[in-house]
Amino acid sequence: MVRFIALLVGAAFSFVLAIALFGSISGLITEPPVPTVEEEFHAHPLHAGLSSDGIFGKFDRQQLQRGFQVYKEVCAACHGLRYVSFRDLEQLGYSEPEVKAIAQQWAIEQPSINPETGEATTRKNIPSDRFPSPFANEVAARAANNNANPPDLSLMAKARHDGNNYIYSLIGHGYVNQPAELVRKFPDAKTPNGLHYNKFFPNLNIAMPPPLTQDGQVTYTDGTRATKDQMAKDVAAFLTWTAEPNLERRHAAGLAAVIFLVIFVFLAWGAYQNVWRDVKH
């Protein structure tokens, strides 16, 4: 009797669940959800084609130096690199004296305390220092940027999906005029004052003004022509390095592990054949 009641309750539950499922599916078919403005107009990032892409990828040191130059002259006024030290720049090919000069000449100094008066002060950067934040705190950052807090860029290439391509697309090709079709179909989605339309930004409206405004905005020391596309690609490569400076070692370790496993499989197969060669299977 108990088993019969349990089966009856289970059948009733399954019947109700089936009715609910059928209602949901039929509702989606007869009245499909209206696509949002983001779903219709948000663009997938372009492919930057960096040398660090793929399992055999390696950093282009010259490109990293160009990307650092773009960061220094364009991005550093608003965005910090709190997880990167000046001495890490030696990995980009800079010599020790060059790193010392970069640290000392950096526009933003390190916060410090005057040992004689105990008052807050600043001092010149040294190679062991991390890149100082351009703002004292979040309140100061928002006050200087129309209530927007510029994010730290150290790990940006890993914090965003398809990070290096996202950075390249966002700053190099994302700032366009808002499509007339968007305003016509979604009148309430018009870009508000103080924001900028960017087709690669998740909600299409970003507080950051276009950082790259024209070709030649930066004069590369290696003579490379600094087009907007080239600058965007170079700074994307640099931020890929800041997010994962050990990428080349990881790729090398992974390749070595694969080679070892392949050799091990053949050795194990050979040992198996040798041990069991006289045994009838």
Side-chain angles (χ1 to χ4, degrees):
M1 187 65 179
V2 174
R3 181 178 295 178
F4 175 75
I5 294 174
L7 288 173
L8 188 62
V9 171
F13 177 77
S14 299
F15 179 70
V16 172
L17 185 62
I19 292 176
L21 182 61
F22 175 77
S24 299
I25 294 175
S26 62
L28 288 174
I29 294 174
T30 57
E31 296 181 9
V34 179
T36 63
V37 61
E38 291 85 1
E39 291 172 340
E40 235 183 281
F41 290 93
H42 180 258
H44 187 74
L46 306 173
H47 182 58
L50 302 181
S51 62
S52 57
D53 292 344
I55 60 174
F56 301 109
K58 292 182 177 293
F59 288 122
D60 179 346
R61 289 328 192 250
Q62 200 167 27
Q63 183 176 49
L64 294 183
Q65 290 190 15
R66 294 197 302 268
F68 170 65
Q69 188 177 348
V70 175
Y71 167 77
K72 176 183 176 182
E73 298 184 22
V74 178
C75 310
C78 297
H79 298 277
L81 289 176
R82 75 176 111 186
Y83 298 118
V84 183
S85 300
F86 284 98
R87 63 186 173 192
D88 293 335
L89 296 178
E90 292 184 23
Q91 298 178 34
L92 273 60
Y94 291 103
S95 65
E96 187 175 341
E98 287 176 325
V99 170
K100 287 182 178 180
I102 291 171
Q104 287 188 345
Q105 296 169 11
W106 198 254
I108 304 165
E109 297 186 341
Q110 287 288 331
S112 184
I113 299 294
N114 189 320
E116 297 179 358
T117 63
E119 296 180 351
T121 184
T122 59
R123 63 168 175 80
K124 293 288 187 180
N125 296 286
I126 58 176
S128 60
D129 288 329
R130 293 184 176 182
F131 281 82
S133 172
F135 305 104
N137 49 50
E138 183 178 341
V139 175
R142 291 187 180 278
N145 292 278
N146 195 24
N147 202 37
N149 183 22
D152 184 85
L153 296 182
S154 306
L155 304 177
M156 187 57 65
K158 297 189 75 171
R160 298 291 183 269
H161 173 66
D162 202 12
N164 53 5
N165 293 327
Y166 169 78
I167 294 170
Y168 162 71
S169 303
L170 181 82
I171 65 175
H173 301 275
Y175 290 93
V176 295
N177 293 327
Q178 193 173 39
E181 182 185 0
L182 184 152
V183 180
R184 185 173 62 254
K185 293 181 67 174
F186 302 94
D188 295 336
K190 186 176 180 181
T191 301
N193 292 331
L195 298 182
H196 307 269
Y197 181 80
N198 191 302
K199 61 182 180 180
F200 296 109
F201 195 66
N203 69 0
L204 303 178
N205 297 313
I206 187 172
M208 178 176 68
L212 303 176
T213 56
Q214 60 183 358
D215 293 348
Q217 188 172 342
V218 172
T219 302
Y220 285 139
T221 55
D222 65 358
T224 301
R225 184 167 178 262
T227 62
K228 286 175 59 177
D229 180 79
Q230 184 67 53
M231 290 185 288
K233 191 174 295 187
D234 292 341
V235 78
F238 172 70
L239 294 179
T240 300
W241 171 79
T242 63
E244 195 161 8
N246 296 321
L247 178 141
E248 290 176 328
R249 291 185 209 166
R250 181 170 60 82
H251 285 179
L255 182 60
V258 170
I259 294 174
F260 168 79
L261 290 174
V262 170
I263 294 174
F264 176 79
V265 166
F266 278 102
L267 290 176
W269 180 79
Y272 169 81
Q273 294 293 324
N274 184 59
V275 170
W276 296 97
R277 69 181 183 276
D278 297 327
V279 178
K280 186 176 181 180
H281 295 282

